[in-house]
Amino acid sequence: HLTSKFMSLAAQYNPEEIEDKWYQYWLDRNYFHSEPDPQKEPYTIVIPPPNVTGVLHMGHMLNNTLQDVLIRKARMEGKEACWVPGTDHASIATEAKVVAMLKEKGINKRDIGREAFLKYAWEWREKYGGIILEQLKKLGASCDWARTRFTMEPHMSESVTKVFVDLYNKGHIYRGYRMINWDPQGRTGIADDEVNHKEVNSKLYFVNYAVEGEDSFVTIATTRPETILGDTAVCVHPGDERYHHLKGKRVIVPLVNRTVPVIEDEYVSMEFGTGCLKVTPAHDVNDYELGKKHDLEIIEVIADDGTMSEAAQFFVGEDRFVVRKKMAQQLEALGQLVKTEDYKNSVGFSERTDAVIEPKLSVQWFVRMKELVQPALAHVMDDTIQLHPSKFKNMYRSWMENVRDWNISRQLWWGQRIPAYYLPDDTFVVAETPEEALRLAQEKSGNSSLTAADLRQDEDVLDTWFSSGLWPITVFDGIRHPGNPDINYYYPTNDLVTAPEILFFWVARMIMYGYEYRQEKPFSNVYLTGIVRDKQGRKMSKSLGNSPNPLELIRKYGADGVRTGMLFSSPAGNDLLFDIKLCEQGRNFANKIWNALRLVKSWQVDKTVDGETNQAAIGWFAARFNQAMIELEDHFSKFRISDALLTVYKLLWDDFCSWYLEMVKPAYGKGIDAMTYEATLKFFEKAMKVLHPFMPFITEEIWHLLRERQEDDCLIVAAWPTADTSTDRMEADATVLSSGVTVFDAITQLRNIRNSRQISQKQALKLWIKTGTPQKYHQFGSIIRKMANIEAVDFTEEKVEGAVSFIVNAAQGQPDEFFVPLGDTIDVEEEIQKLEKELAYQQGFRQSVDKKLSNTRFVENAPEAVIAMERKKKADAEAKIAAIQEQLAALRKK
RNA sequence: GGGUUCUUAGCUCAGUUGGUUUAGAGCACCUGCCUUACAAGCAGGGGGUCGUAGGUUCGAAUCCUACAGGACCCACCA
């Protein structure tokens, strides 16, 4: 009979075909697409564009679920919701992948040249570049796919070039000779954040340098003897008395026999090594600074590929690490190596090639940041742009206040090529197009016969962040066409969801560009997610193999299950310790709702049934729902998405399923009255609305199963329920809910009596209530009967002898006493023990309140309301104590 | 080394300007249930002296100081 009753709905929810069906339906009906509509308020999110080489990992899952929740809610609120998707060309990451791919084919990047390499790179991008976006669809991401962008598509590149030229013309971009992190294997400069520092076992070499014109030595300590060949000074601390005699003297660099000055600088630590430092300005950041300060000569002894250069004079063309050993041998042979010590130090490695980074002087392009960054600092500090959680404000500020010039050139091929063109005389012009460059070059040189062939474009490409920082503007083509309808309508965007580790690289730069090119913030809120870790707290990584395959998870638990699983425990800024059990919980939740649907759909409306007794339940749930809405909106307004989900979860599971449905559920074989049925459908629909942003698929499915609907009546675009926050409503809700609490407390205690005495669920009990206000049970009496399986509720003015009794907390007035006659089944000793425990608690509580109230300073200083509250607490406790004592006395008589 | 931040139940976290809290939630746990929506379930229950030590206050998880431990950011390690 079950099958007929519960139609064709399976007892267990199966997400697989349902999810694909609805995603396609939404796509077909174009619900994700947005066009500017002046009648509607825009709500915009731009996706943090994943690397074009990327495949979906757990971090993306969390990040994009959050964005989808926000965008779906906005869409239902009637806003013109636009979520712009896309991918980032990610120059160094992609280039590394393509290089690796070619290497497998036995092809070397340098052998085939720039053009051929880029052809491979584009092919690679065509083939794999869309994968990650396809994967997002499985998650339910409601992106406006028609607006999908790629940071290197023509108009985006054009915009980037335009910005470069503009910043250059405004004097914000310059070429500079700077020390950078050089990757000798990839033969490129890399950013500080692409350098991994690792502790390594190395050696500290103590080397004697002869003092010029004297028969004495000074000993220095170094971990890199190969750089001795490039030394141009020796430095001591000005306060170091051991070396005062060296003041103004010169020393002789071993092997090369160059005489170099002894300089003094407080930078040198007297404690380290011998307190005497050799200075190689060309191959160490600090030495370079010293060199600048003391006007030292710079000798580059290590070439781009990590071998010794001509300037080194010795070991030319040999690798720096080979030379390190050979130098030590040579010095030893010369008798200038005093000793070596084992030593641990941290060495920088290239994130991509794992080669040891060589600090190297190089001509690079830089953006002057100090001035550009000012509005970006100010408007985060004054909350024009809010960071969630706000603790990141401090981090942001310290970075922005100490911002250094930004090296934007990379010695790579895959990326936005720098639009600088060199003339034959090595001067250069900066221009948006080669034609413009030629014109400028002719003008500059005064040589009108100059041709395009005479110009040589800069070989370098721009740092990826230079272009991705423009993302919120360029996706709407706001650089080339600053007045176009899209940018005017959608910009500034609303919320940005991203990871804290790119707060500076990306977020700060978007803000900077936003004020520079739109005179306006790029977004109002930045929600910073945490890192997804495994349950032991380890970062998920390929090498550890501790990262689940997201698509596999979706297949197994449903996108809805995985989405909620991820959101259950991930407050903003906190790492998510991912456990598969979270997905199970999400899946179970979906199943719970599914079964609520099966229950409601099984009901038959019977016009002869009177729904009067359900009025209380309906009124109670309506009040409960409204309060949950208020809570929900509060959570959303503060970006507490996990809490928002939990509010909906509890509303549905506890309030709707465990209480409401059980209260109105007709007895087996009975019909339900039309009023209750309709009210229940309405509640269910409303609940599906607030759940939809979190679980889009199952809610849409249920939406269509609850009632017959028009084709365009989809939940994804249904109106978001509003919370009624009027004073009248709040007061009314409070009254309804507090009487509800009383009744639920009574039911729980009755169930407890049953449970603790092993009385079967099926055995109906009798109940007597001693109360001064029996009318308050008129509404809820039948509910108590139903929920606790009570056969009859009667009122009494006297105690009922031989019954188990308990006190029900009264919302107002005296507490009521409930009696359940159980005959022989009462264990008097046990009852006494229970009551004594309760008594002790109440007495302790009263005592703590008493202590406050008898403290004259409390009574004098505390606000009226607080004192009144304490007095009420005391009165309530005393009433309960009295009642318990009476019960105890009665029991002890036995 | 400099800075920021955190430490509340077994786990993950709430706890808004100090006072409706001898502290709440979800999960986990324990007990009993195949009760006619759901065992991916139902009902009930136990569990924390709020990192430690002081201080301010009538009153501290909440404010201050020190200490211990963790996290993150920045810089550096000749």
Side-chain angles (χ1 to χ4, degrees):
Chain A
H1 61 283
L2 265 181
T3 26
S4 63
K5 236 172 129 59
F6 295 101
M7 318 175 307
S8 53
L9 299 181
Q12 286 192 347
Y13 173 63
N14 177 12
E16 219 162 350
E17 68 265 27
I18 285 171
E19 295 188 347
D20 287 344
K21 174 183 79 182
W22 286 114
Y23 199 84
Q24 194 54 47
Y25 194 86
W26 295 325
L27 279 178
D28 291 345
R29 302 200 58 83
N30 224 13
Y31 287 132
F32 303 161
H33 184 59
S34 167
E35 286 294 334
D37 178 351
Q39 304 302 310
K40 288 162 86 179
E41 186 189 336
Y43 175 86
T44 319
I45 296 179
V46 291
I47 205 168
N51 287 0
V52 69
T53 60
V55 285
L56 201 65
H57 59 65
M58 296 306 286
H60 294 124
M61 296 280 280
L62 174 62
N63 178 267
N64 288 290
T65 298
L66 285 162
Q67 293 176 68
D68 198 45
V69 168
L70 296 174
I71 203 85
R72 283 181 186 269
K73 177 169 186 270
R75 193 179 290 122
M76 292 174 78
E77 285 170 330
K79 294 175 187 167
E80 189 55 47
C82 184
W83 182 11
V84 184
T87 47
D88 191 277
H89 66 279
S91 70
I92 191 163
T94 305
E95 180 147 335
K97 286 219 171 169
V98 176
V99 165
M101 180 270 286
L102 290 176
K103 198 175 172 186
E104 273 176 30
K105 294 186 184 175
I107 302 173
N108 182 297
K109 169 184 158 185
R110 261 163 249 282
D111 294 343
I112 58 171
R114 184 174 199 131
E115 222 168 289
F117 177 82
L118 287 178
K119 205 167 149 257
Y120 278 115
W122 278 104
E123 272 172 20
W124 202 89
R125 185 254 166 190
E126 287 309 319
K127 201 163 164 195
Y128 301 107
I131 290 179
I132 194 158
L133 299 182
E134 287 306 310
Q135 290 177 319
L136 283 179
K137 294 178 181 174
K138 288 279 172 197
L139 185 65
S142 57
C143 300
D144 187 349
W145 300 110
R147 292 180 180 275
T148 304
R149 298 284 180 268
F150 173 56
T151 52
M152 274 218 306
E153 65 187 280
H155 81 81
M156 304 279 279
S157 286
E158 224 179 273
S159 303
V160 171
T161 303
K162 206 173 161 70
V163 164
F164 183 96
V165 173
D166 180 68
L167 287 176
Y168 177 78
N169 289 337
K170 285 178 183 161
H172 294 304
I173 288 183
Y174 65 94
R175 280 175 101 218
Y177 197 48
R178 286 293 175 85
M179 186 140 285
I180 56 156
N181 304 301
W182 182 259
D183 174 348
Q185 198 173 314
R187 295 206 205 172
T188 176
I190 63 172
D192 290 347
D193 61 295
E194 290 160 342
V195 178
N196 293 330
H197 287 271
K198 293 186 219 166
E199 278 272 291
V200 296
N201 293 317
S202 53
K203 286 196 159 42
L204 198 54
Y205 301 83
F206 289 77
V207 182
N208 277 344
Y209 284 40
V211 181
E212 188 188 33
E214 287 181 21
D215 190 16
S216 67
F217 290 101
V218 58
T219 308
I220 59 91
T222 180
T223 53
R224 303 196 55 196
E226 71 277 15
T227 63
I228 285 175
L229 301 171
D231 281 358
T232 55
V234 160
C235 188
V236 296
H237 194 280
D240 196 335
E241 292 177 0
R242 294 173 295 178
Y243 298 116
H244 275 172
H245 65 283
L246 291 176
K247 207 173 185 139
K249 298 200 171 145
R250 296 176 74 85
V251 296
I252 301 165
V253 179
L255 261 78
V256 286
N257 291 327
R258 176 167 56 237
T259 71
V260 299
V262 175
I263 58 170
E264 292 180 312
D265 199 287
E266 289 179 354
Y267 163 73
V268 178
S269 149
M270 291 191 272
E271 287 75 39
F272 188 90
T274 60
C276 186
L277 170 77
K278 71 179 209 57
V279 185
T280 321
H283 298 288
D284 183 276
V285 181
N286 294 302
D287 290 12
Y288 177 67
E289 294 302 321
L290 279 175
K292 265 206 307 198
K293 197 166 157 190
H294 297 274
D295 206 18
L296 300 175
E297 193 185 348
I298 296 168
I299 303 173
E300 286 192 59
V301 292
I302 299 174
D304 285 359
D305 60 357
T307 64
M308 303 312 285
S309 70
E310 293 287 340
Q313 300 176 48
F314 292 83
F315 312 116
V316 175
E318 294 188 59
D319 185 76
R320 53 193 167 145
F321 298 109
V322 175
V323 176
R324 182 173 300 175
K325 288 186 184 128
K326 290 193 174 175
M327 271 300 285
Q329 286 162 9
Q330 281 273 4
L331 291 168
E332 181 140 39
L334 289 168
Q336 285 182 277
L337 183 65
V338 180
K339 59 170 176 178
T340 61
E341 280 177 6
D342 286 335
Y343 183 66
K344 266 195 178 31
N345 66 340
S346 116
V347 172
F349 291 82
S350 166
E351 194 176 76
R352 303 291 166 187
T353 65
D354 212 35
V356 172
I357 292 302
E358 188 62 46
K360 183 178 141 56
L361 277 169
S362 165
V363 176
Q364 301 284 335
W365 293 87
F366 291 89
V367 178
R368 265 188 198 93
M369 295 296 271
K370 203 90 210 155
E371 192 189 323
L372 271 178
V373 115
Q374 286 316 310
L377 171 59
H379 290 109
V380 168
M381 294 327 286
D382 70 13
D383 285 335
T384 303
I385 298 165
Q386 290 191 319
L387 306 186
H388 304 274
S390 57
K391 67 178 177 185
F392 287 107
K393 252 171 102 170
N394 284 325
M395 246 169 68
Y396 181 87
R397 179 174 62 187
S398 73
W399 191 77
M400 293 301 253
E401 281 175 349
N402 301 306
V403 69
R404 297 187 303 176
D405 286 358
W406 174 17
N407 175 8
I408 50 171
S409 43
R410 294 296 126 90
Q411 291 66 49
L412 298 168
W413 288 344
W414 176 249
Q416 315 271 359
R417 197 161 170 184
I418 290 176
Y421 299 82
Y422 298 90
L423 282 64
D425 65 359
D426 260 1
T427 59
F428 65 92
V429 292
V430 168
E432 286 180 41
T433 60
E435 297 73 38
E436 175 69 1
L438 182 60
R439 198 186 60 75
L440 287 174
Q442 287 171 340
E443 204 176 283
K444 181 167 185 162
S445 62
N447 177 0
S448 57
S449 60
L450 219 56
T451 67
D454 296 322
L455 295 183
R456 180 176 52 83
Q457 187 175 358
D458 198 299
E459 293 290 323
D460 290 356
V461 299
L462 290 165
D463 178 13
T464 302
W465 303 112
F466 188 92
S467 49
S468 51
L470 290 161
W471 184 247
I473 304 176
T474 49
V475 293
F476 299 116
D477 207 0
I479 294 292
R480 298 187 315 161
H481 305 291
N484 86 64
D486 276 3
I487 188 88
N488 283 339
Y489 186 74
Y490 294 113
Y491 191 99
T493 72
N494 297 73
D495 304 330
L496 177 82
V497 181
T498 191
E501 59 257 39
I502 54 174
L503 185 56
F504 312 133
F505 301 116
W506 191 45
V507 179
R509 273 134 194 188
M510 284 192 283
I511 301 174
M512 178 186 93
Y513 281 132
Y515 283 104
E516 183 66 16
Y517 288 102
R518 298 298 302 175
Q519 292 72 49
E520 173 69 281
K521 61 186 173 185
F523 30 71
S524 304
N525 296 287
V526 181
Y527 180 104
L528 295 151
T529 61
I531 296 166
V532 182
R533 298 175 180 277
D534 67 12
K535 60 181 169 181
Q536 286 114 298
R538 299 174 305 176
K539 208 168 174 170
M540 285 187 168
S541 73
K542 265 190 200 151
S543 52
L544 278 174
N546 58 351
S547 179
N549 175 350
L551 295 181
E552 192 61 22
L553 283 181
I554 288 173
R555 203 186 53 72
K556 215 164 156 191
Y557 298 98
D560 289 334
V562 179
R563 288 164 65 110
T564 45
M566 307 213 61
L567 292 182
F568 272 129
S569 179
S570 50
N574 282 31
D575 288 354
L576 165 63
L577 267 55
F578 183 81
D579 186 339
I580 197 74
K581 284 196 170 149
L582 291 168
C583 290
E584 278 173 29
Q585 195 187 343
R587 178 202 59 182
N588 294 355
F589 184 38
N591 194 49
K592 182 71 186 176
I593 300 158
W594 182 250
N595 275 286
L597 172 78
R598 291 178 68 224
L599 176 65
V600 172
K601 291 300 282 183
S602 75
W603 293 346
Q604 301 294 324
V605 173
D606 182 344
K607 291 205 168 92
T608 65
V609 174
D610 177 17
E612 189 55 31
T613 53
N614 286 330
Q615 286 290 9
I618 292 168
W620 171 81
F621 188 68
R624 187 65 203 90
F625 206 126
N626 192 49
Q627 292 306 304
M629 279 309 298
I630 291 168
E631 215 178 294
L632 185 65
E633 294 295 357
D634 184 47
H635 288 321
F636 268 117
S637 73
K638 290 166 182 149
F639 288 87
R640 297 192 300 227
I641 309 298
S642 288
D643 290 329
L645 170 62
L646 206 57
T647 296
V648 178
Y649 180 82
K650 286 194 277 191
L651 175 74
L652 268 154
W653 200 309
D654 300 342
D655 299 321
F656 186 61
C657 292
S658 295
W659 288 107
Y660 175 78
L661 289 180
E662 293 296 339
M663 288 192 280
V664 300
K665 181 168 141 181
Y668 183 62
K670 294 270 169 62
I672 192 160
D673 67 281
M675 185 269 301
T676 303
Y677 187 69
E678 183 55 26
T680 305
L681 287 190
K682 287 227 168 80
F683 284 145
F684 213 142
E685 287 174 320
K686 201 170 157 188
M688 290 305 94
K689 288 181 178 180
V690 295
L691 183 59
H692 181 261
F694 302 99
M695 297 186 127
F697 296 108
I698 189 175
T699 52
E700 186 74 82
E701 174 75 5
I702 290 178
W703 181 257
H704 291 268
L705 288 173
L706 277 171
R707 291 186 209 264
E708 289 289 315
R709 295 189 191 271
Q710 300 292 311
E711 207 183 316
D712 59 348
D713 182 5
C714 279
L715 182 56
I716 188 176
V717 288
W720 183 257
T722 49
D724 185 346
T725 54
S726 66
T727 321
D728 285 357
R729 178 62 191 261
M730 297 291 275
E731 279 171 10
D733 282 357
T735 309
V736 172
L737 291 173
S738 74
S739 46
V741 165
T742 307
V743 171
F744 294 169
D745 180 36
I747 292 168
T748 302
Q749 296 212 50
L750 287 165
R751 285 166 170 174
N752 187 11
I753 286 173
R754 198 187 279 282
N755 255 336
S756 61
R757 288 170 185 75
Q758 319 248 16
I759 300 167
S760 156
Q761 311 277 357
K762 288 172 187 161
Q763 188 188 331
L765 301 174
K766 273 195 159 31
L767 172 65
W768 295 88
I769 303 175
K770 178 170 171 278
T771 177
T773 51
Q775 63 277 8
K776 86 181 165 208
Y777 290 99
H778 286 168
Q779 274 206 308
F780 284 101
S782 64
I783 291 172
I784 294 178
R785 277 210 309 277
K786 193 168 184 175
M787 303 291 280
N789 193 15
I790 301 296
E791 58 185 340
V793 177
D794 288 301
F795 296 97
T796 173
E797 289 179 6
E798 297 299 323
K799 296 196 163 305
V800 178
E801 294 298 323
V804 175
S805 66
F806 59 89
I807 313 290
V808 167
N809 220 349
Q812 55 259 70
Q814 291 293 307
D816 298 336
E817 204 167 350
F818 280 51
F819 299 91
V820 182
L822 290 175
D824 300 339
T825 57
I826 304 178
D827 181 333
V828 177
E829 273 310 308
E830 214 177 291
E831 293 308 318
I832 289 176
Q833 271 178 26
K834 273 182 192 158
L835 286 170
E836 277 175 343
K837 205 173 154 196
E838 175 67 12
L839 183 66
Y841 177 86
Q842 293 296 341
Q843 284 173 332
F845 184 69
R846 183 190 57 183
Q847 212 177 352
S848 78
V849 177
D850 246 349
K851 216 167 108 188
K852 277 189 205 171
L853 286 170
S854 59
N855 183 334
T856 51
R857 284 187 293 185
F858 171 72
V859 181
E860 280 163 19
N861 293 315
E864 275 302 309
V866 173
I867 297 171
M869 196 115 51
E870 293 298 323
R871 293 218 165 96
K872 190 190 176 310
K873 270 154 73 178
K874 184 182 171 178
D876 285 353
E878 276 171 352
K880 278 204 156 188
I881 288 166
I884 294 167
Q885 279 170 338
E886 267 184 58
Q887 287 182 356
L888 271 171
L891 276 172
R892 285 196 174 112
K893 266 194 252 168
K894 290 186 180 152

